[in-house]
Coordinates of all heavy atoms in Angstrom, one line a residue:
P422 N 121.1 -124.4 62.0 CA 120.6 -123.1 62.3 C 119.8 -123.0 63.5 O 119.7 -122.0 64.2 CB 119.7 -122.8 61.0 CG 120.4 -123.7 60.0 CD 120.9 -124.8 60.7
T423 N 119.1 -124.1 63.9 CA 118.2 -124.1 65.1 C 119.1 -124.3 66.3 O 118.6 -124.0 67.4 CB 117.1 -125.2 65.0 OG1 117.9 -126.5 64.9 CG2 116.3 -125.0 63.8
N424 N 120.3 -124.9 66.3 CA 121.0 -125.3 67.4 C 120.3 -126.2 68.3 O 120.5 -126.1 69.5 CB 121.5 -124.0 68.2 CG 122.7 -124.4 69.1 OD1 123.4 -125.3 68.9 ND2 122.8 -123.5 70.2
D425 N 119.5 -127.1 67.7 CA 118.6 -127.9 68.5 C 118.7 -129.3 67.8 O 118.3 -129.5 66.7 CB 117.2 -127.5 68.5 CG 116.2 -128.4 69.3 OD1 116.7 -129.5 69.7 OD2 115.1 -128.1 69.4
P426 N 119.4 -130.3 68.4 CA 119.5 -131.7 67.9 C 118.2 -132.4 67.5 O 118.2 -133.3 66.7 CB 120.3 -132.5 68.9 CG 120.1 -131.8 70.2 CD 120.0 -130.4 69.8
L427 N 117.1 -131.9 68.2 CA 115.8 -132.5 67.8 C 115.1 -131.8 66.8 O 113.9 -132.2 66.3 CB 114.9 -132.5 69.1 CG 115.5 -133.3 70.2 CD1 114.6 -133.3 71.5 CD2 116.0 -134.7 69.9
R428 N 115.7 -130.7 66.2 CA 115.2 -130.0 65.1 C 116.4 -129.7 64.1 O 116.5 -128.5 63.6 CB 114.5 -128.6 65.5 CG 113.2 -128.9 66.3 CD 112.6 -127.6 66.8 NE 112.3 -126.7 65.7 CZ 112.8 -125.4 65.6 NH1 113.6 -124.9 66.4 NH2 112.5 -124.7 64.5
G429 N 117.1 -130.7 63.9 CA 118.4 -130.5 63.1 C 118.3 -130.4 61.7 O 119.2 -130.0 61.0
L430 N 117.2 -130.7 61.0 CA 117.0 -130.8 59.6 C 116.1 -129.7 59.0 O 115.6 -129.8 57.9 CB 116.6 -132.2 59.1 CG 117.3 -133.4 59.6 CD1 116.8 -134.6 58.9 CD2 118.9 -133.1 59.3
E431 N 115.8 -128.8 59.9 CA 114.8 -127.8 59.4 C 115.2 -126.9 58.3 O 114.3 -126.2 57.7 CB 114.5 -126.8 60.7 CG 113.9 -127.5 61.9 CD 112.5 -127.9 61.7 OE1 111.6 -127.0 61.6 OE2 112.2 -129.1 61.7
H432 N 116.4 -126.9 57.9 CA 116.8 -126.1 56.7 C 117.0 -126.8 55.4 O 117.5 -126.2 54.4 CB 118.2 -125.4 57.1 CG 119.3 -126.4 57.6 ND1 119.1 -127.2 58.7 CD2 120.4 -126.8 57.0 CE1 120.1 -128.0 58.8 NE2 120.9 -127.8 57.7
I433 N 116.8 -128.1 55.4 CA 117.0 -128.9 54.1 C 115.7 -129.3 53.4 O 115.8 -130.2 52.6 CB 117.9 -130.1 54.5 CG1 117.2 -131.1 55.3 CG2 119.2 -129.6 55.1 CD1 117.9 -132.5 55.4
G434 N 114.6 -128.6 53.6 CA 113.4 -128.9 53.0 C 113.5 -128.8 51.4 O 112.7 -129.5 50.8
F435 N 114.3 -127.8 51.0 CA 114.3 -127.6 49.5 C 115.3 -128.6 48.8 O 115.2 -128.9 47.6 CB 114.7 -126.2 49.1 CG 113.6 -125.2 49.4 CD1 113.7 -124.4 50.5 CD2 112.5 -125.1 48.6 CE1 112.6 -123.3 50.8 CE2 111.5 -124.2 48.8 CZ 111.6 -123.3 50.0
T436 N 116.3 -129.0 49.5 CA 117.4 -129.8 48.9 C 117.1 -131.4 49.0 O 117.3 -132.1 48.1 CB 118.7 -129.6 49.6 OG1 118.7 -129.6 51.0 CG2 119.2 -128.2 49.1
L437 N 116.5 -131.8 50.2 CA 116.4 -133.2 50.5 C 115.6 -134.0 49.5 O 116.0 -135.2 49.1 CB 115.8 -133.4 51.9 CG 115.6 -134.8 52.4 CD1 116.9 -135.6 52.4 CD2 115.0 -134.9 53.8
P438 N 114.5 -133.6 49.0 CA 113.7 -134.3 48.1 C 114.4 -134.8 46.8 O 114.1 -135.9 46.2 CB 112.4 -133.6 47.7 CG 112.8 -132.2 48.1 CD 113.8 -132.2 49.2
F439 N 115.4 -134.1 46.3 CA 116.0 -134.4 45.1 C 117.2 -135.4 45.4 O 117.6 -136.0 44.3 CB 116.5 -133.1 44.3 CG 115.5 -132.2 44.0 CD1 115.4 -130.9 44.5 CD2 114.5 -132.6 43.3 CE1 114.4 -130.1 44.2 CE2 113.3 -131.7 42.9 CZ 113.3 -130.4 43.4
N440 N 117.6 -135.6 46.5 CA 118.4 -136.7 46.9 C 117.5 -138.0 46.9 O 117.9 -139.1 46.2 CB 119.0 -136.5 48.3 CG 120.1 -135.4 48.3 OD1 119.8 -134.4 48.5 ND2 121.4 -135.9 48.1
M441 N 116.4 -137.9 47.5 CA 115.5 -139.2 47.6 C 115.0 -139.5 46.3 O 114.7 -140.7 45.9 CB 114.5 -139.0 48.6 CG 115.0 -138.8 50.0 SD 116.2 -140.0 50.6 CE 117.8 -139.0 50.6
G442 N 114.7 -138.5 45.4 CA 114.1 -138.7 44.1 C 115.2 -139.0 43.0 O 114.8 -139.3 41.9
E443 N 116.5 -138.8 43.4 CA 117.6 -139.1 42.5 C 117.8 -138.2 41.3 O 118.6 -138.4 40.4 CB 117.5 -140.6 42.0 CG 117.3 -141.7 43.1 CD 117.3 -143.0 42.5 OE1 117.5 -143.2 41.3 OE2 117.1 -143.9 43.3
Q444 N 117.1 -137.0 41.4 CA 117.2 -136.0 40.3 C 118.5 -135.2 40.5 O 119.0 -134.9 41.6 CB 116.0 -135.0 40.3 CG 114.7 -135.7 40.0 CD 114.0 -136.0 41.3 OE1 114.5 -136.2 42.3 NE2 112.6 -136.0 41.1
P445 N 119.1 -134.7 39.4 CA 120.2 -133.8 39.4 C 119.8 -132.5 39.9 O 118.6 -132.0 39.6 CB 120.7 -133.8 38.0 CG 119.5 -134.0 37.2 CD 118.7 -135.0 37.9
A446 N 120.6 -131.8 40.7 CA 120.2 -130.4 41.2 C 121.5 -129.6 41.5 O 122.5 -130.2 41.8 CB 119.4 -130.5 42.4
V447 N 121.4 -128.4 41.2 CA 122.6 -127.5 41.3 C 122.2 -126.2 42.1 O 121.1 -125.7 41.9 CB 123.2 -127.1 39.9 CG1 122.3 -126.2 39.1 CG2 124.5 -126.4 40.1
S448 N 123.1 -125.6 42.8 CA 122.9 -124.3 43.4 C 123.9 -123.4 42.7 O 125.1 -123.7 42.5 CB 123.2 -124.3 44.9 OG 123.1 -123.1 45.4
V449 N 123.3 -122.3 42.2 CA 124.1 -121.2 41.5 C 123.8 -119.9 42.2 O 122.5 -119.7 42.5 CB 123.9 -121.3 40.1 CG1 122.4 -121.1 39.6 CG2 124.8 -120.3 39.3
N450 N 124.7 -119.0 42.3 CA 124.4 -117.8 43.1 C 123.4 -116.9 42.3 O 123.6 -116.8 41.1 CB 125.7 -117.0 43.3 CG 125.5 -115.9 44.3 OD1 124.9 -116.1 45.3 ND2 125.9 -114.7 44.0
A451 N 122.4 -116.4 43.1 CA 121.4 -115.6 42.5 C 121.4 -114.1 42.9 O 120.6 -113.3 42.4 CB 120.0 -116.2 42.7
G452 N 122.2 -113.8 43.9 CA 122.2 -112.5 44.4 C 122.8 -112.4 45.8 O 123.4 -113.4 46.3
Y453 N 122.5 -111.3 46.5 CA 123.1 -111.1 47.8 C 122.1 -110.5 48.8 O 121.2 -109.7 48.3 CB 124.3 -110.2 47.7 CG 125.3 -110.7 46.7 CD1 125.2 -110.3 45.3 CD2 126.4 -111.5 47.0 CE1 126.1 -110.7 44.4 CE2 127.3 -112.0 46.1 CZ 127.2 -111.6 44.8 OH 128.0 -112.0 43.9
S454 N 122.2 -110.8 50.0 CA 121.4 -110.1 51.0 C 121.9 -108.7 51.3 O 123.0 -108.3 50.8 CB 121.5 -111.0 52.3 OG 122.7 -110.9 53.0

Side-chain angles (χ1 to χ4, degrees):
T423 62
N424 196 26
D425 180 354
L427 302 184
R428 296 177 56 238
L430 305 187
E431 297 287 295
H432 55 293
I433 66 171
F435 287 106
T436 51
L437 179 60
F439 300 120
N440 290 84
M441 300 306 111
E443 304 183 8
Q444 296 98 332
V447 66
S448 180
V449 59
N450 194 49
Y453 306 88
S454 70

